[in-house]
Amino acid sequence: MKDLNVTVMEGRATRPPELKYTRGGTPILAFSIAVNYSVKDGDEFKDQASFFDCEYFGKGAEAVNKYLGKGTKVLIQGEFRQDRWEQDGQSRSKIKVFVHELKVLDFHKDKAEEEKPSAFKQAMASAPARPFSETVPAKPAITAGEMFDDDIPF
């Protein structure tokens, strides 16, 4: 039986993402997130944060790169992986989150809104303002005869 290694986190990106490609052309999006939690200190609670480096592989990484920026709130599902290497004769290691799924919960203003406004926002900006009564057609009042239909079999 395989061991279980699953994590689900919601947090905010702490730096702009870095999009790189493997030699084979596979996109890799490297970013980090901060996940907040509270710790009781005496009679009060204090906010703390844990920071996680994340890597997201595949076509989804290219798509998410358009919207992910510092401060963007994300929900990720993935697994922990340990990178190991030698540096100056010393063994080093670092735990990273290998992301399987990523959902952007809010869009980064610099990337999503300022790059290209959506068609809906463009249409709303150019549409003349009209009173609510003009945008919603009036509905006639329901009479008592329409409310109680004698054709109902029960």
Side-chain angles (χ1 to χ4, degrees), residues 26 34 39 49 59 63 79 84 106 108 149 151 154:
T26 303
V39 175
K59 291 184 179 184
E79 63 185 74
R84 296 181 185 112
D106 67 3
H108 188 263
D149 191 357
D151 294 334
F154 51 88

Side-chain angles (χ1 to χ4, degrees), residues 12 23 30 39 51 64 120:
R12 293 201 177 268
R23 291 181 191 146
V39 175
F51 298 90
V64 168
F120 175 77

Side-chain angles (χ1 to χ4, degrees), residues 30-72:
F31 61 98
S32 62
I33 65 170
V35 178
N36 295 323
Y37 61 96
S38 296
V39 175
K40 190 168 183 177
D41 184 16
D43 291 338
E44 59 186 52
F45 285 92
K46 293 188 176 183
D47 289 334
Q48 300 286 328
S50 293
F51 298 90
F52 299 95
D53 288 331
C54 305
E55 289 184 340
Y56 188 32
F57 290 75
K59 291 184 179 184
E62 287 180 313
V64 168
N65 185 48
K66 296 176 185 176
Y67 303 104
L68 189 63
K70 185 176 180 180
T72 303

